[in-house]
Amino acid sequence: MSNTASPEPLRIAGIVPGSIVDGPGIRFVIFTQGCPHHCPGCHNPKTHDPKGGSEADIPSILARLDEDLLLSGVTFSGGEPFMQAAALVPLAEAVKVRGKNLMVYTGYQYEQLVHMEQPGVQRLLSLADLLVDGPFVLAEKDLTLPYRGSSNQRVIDLVRTREAGEIVLYRSEYEDL
Ligand code: SF4
C-alpha cells in the first residue's frame, strides 16, 4: 500500500558534515528535530520540540554531500529520526543512490519499529545499513562504547539482520558495511 500524500517538510536541528563519532568512518550527520522519548540525561534536549529547529533544504544538503568525496556514509541522528520517517525517505534514497551507507539512531527498539505503521517507517528501516536503537538510559551510561551513550543501546547490522531474519549486531567499527 502506498501513501501518496506529500510528507511534512523535514525539520532538522543541525548538520555536522565530518563526524568520526556517529558511525564508522567519516560521516555526514543530520540531526533531526523532534523527539518524544524525553530520556533523563538526554545530551540534546533542544531537539525535543517538533516545531523547533529549521526546515531542511534537501537539494542544498545533497549538494554538500556531493562535495565531500571522502565521506563513508550518512547518519540520521536526533531527536528521533523515525518521527519524520516519511520526510527522510527521499533523502535516504538519495544517499543510497550515491553508494553511501546509512546509519540511523532511534530511541525506539528495533522490535518496536518493525511493527510501526506510520508512513515511511518501514521504508526508512529498509534503506538503513546500521541502526543504533533504544533510549538513552542514564544509569547505563558508558562513554567508552563506540557510537552510543548507554549500554542498553545496540548497534544493529541491518543488512545482516535482514539476511538472517534475526537481529545481528554490528561487530566492529572496522568491519565493512
Ligand atoms: S532519544 Fe535521544 S534525543 Fe530523544 S530524548 Fe532520548 S537521548 Fe534525547
Side-chain angles (χ1 to χ4, degrees):
M1 189 170 64
S2 69
N3 186 320
T4 53
S6 297
E8 292 291 313
L10 176 65
R11 294 197 73 79
I12 62 171
I15 288 173
V16 173
S19 169
I20 57 167
V21 296
D22 297 290
I26 304 170
R27 310 193 66 83
F28 190 95
V29 186
I30 299 164
F31 292 90
T32 61
Q33 183 68 30
C35 182
H37 302 295
H38 299 286
C39 310
C42 170
H43 59 293
N44 216 352
K46 74 174 182 3
T47 64
H48 293 183
D49 179 2
K51 293 186 167 47
S54 60
E55 197 172 306
D57 177 350
I58 304 288
S60 124
I61 289 175
L62 292 176
R64 288 177 70 180
L65 260 180
D66 289 338
E67 279 170 13
D68 193 341
L69 302 178
L70 296 178
L71 281 179
S72 312
V74 173
T75 297
F76 296 162
S77 187
E80 171 53 65
F82 283 93
M83 264 186 91
Q84 300 190 81
L88 281 168
V89 162
L91 193 50
E93 289 173 340
V95 167
K96 299 314 299 277
V97 163
R98 284 161 171 75
K100 306 293 186 194
N101 64 65
L102 177 64
M103 180 162 175
V104 184
Y105 281 79
T106 180
Y108 297 108
Q109 290 187 308
Y110 174 77
E111 293 86 344
Q112 295 174 289
L113 285 176
V114 295
H115 295 296
M116 280 187 187
E117 295 179 351
Q118 285 90 338
V121 169
Q122 297 312 316
R123 177 66 179 150
L124 180 58
L125 203 52
S126 75
L127 290 164
D129 299 282
L130 293 175
L131 184 79
V132 183
D133 83 332
F136 171 71
V137 175
L138 192 54
E140 297 180 44
K141 179 177 178 178
D142 184 347
L143 296 179
T144 68
L145 297 168
Y147 315 141
R148 57 208 198 274
S150 59
S151 58
N152 63 296
Q153 296 170 315
R154 303 172 293 187
V155 184
I156 298 175
D157 183 332
L158 287 177
V159 177
R160 292 185 171 94
T161 293
R162 288 189 282 267
E163 286 168 1
E166 60 182 12
I167 290 178
V168 179
L169 297 181
Y170 180 62
R171 291 191 298 265
S172 164
E173 61 192 289
Y174 303 108
E175 189 174 14
D176 287 338
L177 291 175

